[in-house]
Amino acid sequence: MVRSRFKALALLSGGLDSILAVKVIQLQDIDVEGIVFQSSFFNNHKVHNIASRLGIKIHPIDINKELIRIIEKPKYGFGKNINPCIDCHLLMISKACGLLKKYKADFIITGEVAGERPKSQNYRALQLISDQCGCGSLLLRPLSAKKLPETRVEEEGIVDREKLYGITGKNRKEQIVLAAKFGIDYYPQPAGGCLLTVPRFSDRLRINLKTKKLSGTDLALLKFGRHFLTKDEEKIIIGRDEEDNNRLSQAVPEGYLIFELDKAMGPLGVLCSTEYHAKENIIKTASLVVRYSKLRNEKTVRVKYFKKGGEVHFLSVSGKDHKELELEHI
Ligand code: SF4
């Protein structure tokens, strides 16, 4: 039986390249549905709007646990920060391959552009992913297809190779021209989508990897506040503003110590450990809470500390006490 219409599953990040890949395939009269990957490290909340502009249905897939396992031990290493991009792409594309049958789709499309990223999107990395994803012959990169080996999708005439593109490199000029040609003006500016590419977040995550603090709550705590590391590798977080304080107090798990000024408004402090809390670290956290408050120049300030739902304790410190103690700002 000859199929009247084919269907592609697109990896939709919401970035320009993935939008263009969908458009190029839609223009060949092929149905497209999107896979939207979710994790603690990237937020695709704009994708819903983009999918509706493209007129496609999307399927959210949570890869948080698998991505954490990859970050703990990436087979192909990290990029500049703690971004395991080759492994991450491979994970996403392999997942999409496994979903072809479920969504009655014939092939996968991605917005990958050969040479766009020196490590994760060079020709060798793209080939490696095709070889290992489990459906390489059904994996089409419409924006760079003409510069890549022909896939089964093209050989079998499902897609007309002549109507695909041969875009390569970091320069986004061709993509911007193409977007204008297709009347697409709803794409975000590049970069900033994945926290794993952000240096400060990566530094914080490295510490959590070392101390094996990789629960959803510990990862959520990485996103806000000032972070310090004691010499025995306990993490201290100090809220920067009211919003930080609110988010911290919601995210703090049971057992972690919470610090507040006793009789004044100020930053919230958290000592991130459920185990025995060394007195020295309690003093450091209390002192940092004072240091970042309006009372920083007072001789001594009373600070209260407690576990969620637990007994409240008090101590008096100065905003300078933490200086006496070794502390690393991360
Ligand atoms: S930038 Fe982040 S989401 Fe994108 S491939 Fe790399 S690790 Fe994965």
Side-chain angles (χ1 to χ4, degrees):
M1 191 178 76
V2 179
R3 288 272 301 274
S4 56
R5 281 186 82 88
F6 291 95
K7 190 199 281 181
L9 263 192
L11 270 68
L12 192 66
S13 67
L16 176 57
D17 293 342
S18 70
I19 296 173
L20 289 175
V22 170
K23 201 73 192 170
V24 168
I25 294 305
Q26 283 179 320
L27 287 172
Q28 296 211 21
D29 242 4
I30 290 170
D31 292 331
V32 180
E33 289 186 11
I35 301 288
V36 178
F37 290 104
Q38 296 177 328
S39 87
S40 308
F41 309 107
F42 40 84
N43 183 342
N44 291 322
H45 61 274
K46 290 194 180 135
V47 170
H48 293 269
N49 182 35
I50 285 166
S52 87
R53 301 287 297 265
L54 287 165
I56 67 170
K57 189 172 168 184
I58 51 174
H59 308 282
I61 306 287
D62 191 321
I63 52 166
N64 203 44
K65 282 192 186 139
E66 288 119 309
L67 193 48
I68 289 171
R69 278 204 297 275
I70 283 176
I71 293 166
E72 286 178 290
K73 208 173 174 188
K75 191 168 171 192
Y76 299 105
F78 293 118
K80 227 166 152 188
N81 295 294
I82 203 157
N83 49 315
C85 291
I86 296 179
D87 295 81
C88 180
H89 269 148
L90 184 54
L91 168 69
M92 292 178 181
I93 294 172
S94 306
K95 281 255 165 202
C97 289
L99 292 167
L100 279 172
K101 214 169 164 187
K102 179 171 178 185
Y103 295 121
K104 298 188 174 58
D106 302 283
F107 63 101
I108 309 281
I109 58 170
T110 75
E112 289 164 297
V113 169
E116 191 171 70
R117 304 224 171 86
K119 187 163 178 196
S120 63
Q121 281 189 46
N122 58 36
Y123 286 93
R124 203 182 59 82
L126 294 185
Q127 188 58 48
L128 181 150
I129 290 168
S130 293
D131 291 344
Q132 298 195 18
C133 67
C135 68
S137 61
L138 298 176
L139 170 60
L140 183 70
R141 284 123 171 167
L143 302 186
S144 288
K146 284 186 172 168
K147 292 283 163 75
L148 297 171
E150 203 168 4
T151 62
R152 211 172 96 201
V153 187
E154 295 148 276
E155 278 166 14
E156 292 182 0
I158 298 172
V159 161
D160 182 352
R161 184 172 168 91
E162 283 313 303
K163 293 181 183 158
L164 301 176
Y165 291 82
I167 303 173
T168 57
K170 286 187 211 165
N171 189 331
R172 295 172 87 235
K173 269 191 194 151
E174 283 181 81
Q175 286 97 311
I176 290 165
V177 169
L178 209 52
K181 182 177 154 194
F182 294 155
I184 294 169
D185 58 2
Y186 46 87
Y187 56 91
Q189 289 310 306
C194 176
L195 285 170
L196 298 170
T197 62
V198 177
R200 174 153 280 192
F201 184 89
S202 293
D203 290 344
R204 293 176 174 185
L205 181 56
R206 269 192 198 98
I207 306 284
N208 281 44
L209 279 173
K210 207 167 149 195
T211 52
K212 305 242 177 289
K213 288 202 160 89
L214 294 167
S215 70
T217 317
D218 283 308
L219 295 178
L221 288 173
L222 295 180
K223 295 176 190 167
F224 32 82
R226 297 178 172 88
H227 289 227
F228 301 86
L229 192 68
T230 67
K231 64 173 189 285
D232 55 351
E233 299 195 330
E234 281 200 4
K235 178 94 69 85
I236 297 169
I237 307 176
I238 307 292
R240 286 173 193 275
D241 50 30
E242 200 181 334
E243 194 189 332
D244 258 5
N245 287 351
N246 292 338
R247 293 170 77 186
L248 274 171
S249 76
Q250 279 166 19
V252 176
E254 281 180 21
Y256 283 17
L257 281 182
I258 301 171
F259 292 71
E260 288 172 353
L261 296 178
D262 182 29
K263 293 213 169 12
M265 298 292 284
L268 191 98
V270 181
L271 181 54
C272 300
S273 170
T274 51
E275 289 143 30
Y276 166 75
H277 297 102
K279 183 80 185 162
E280 194 178 294
N281 293 343
I282 291 175
I283 295 171
K284 280 177 199 172
T285 316
S287 172
L288 283 167
V289 166
V290 176
R291 156 73 181 80
Y292 288 104
S293 77
K294 287 186 180 145
L295 306 182
R296 69 181 67 90
N297 296 321
E298 299 287 318
K299 210 166 168 198
T300 57
V301 179
R302 211 160 106 106
V303 174
K304 59 183 176 188
Y305 63 98
F306 50 92
K307 291 179 184 173
K308 264 185 178 168
E311 193 186 341
V312 180
H313 305 270
F314 298 89
L315 85 162
S316 292
V317 290
S318 97
K320 290 184 181 133
D321 286 350
H322 68 92
K323 288 192 178 161
E324 315 284 318
L325 309 159
E326 273 177 57
L327 214 53
E328 187 187 345
H329 191 175
I330 41 174

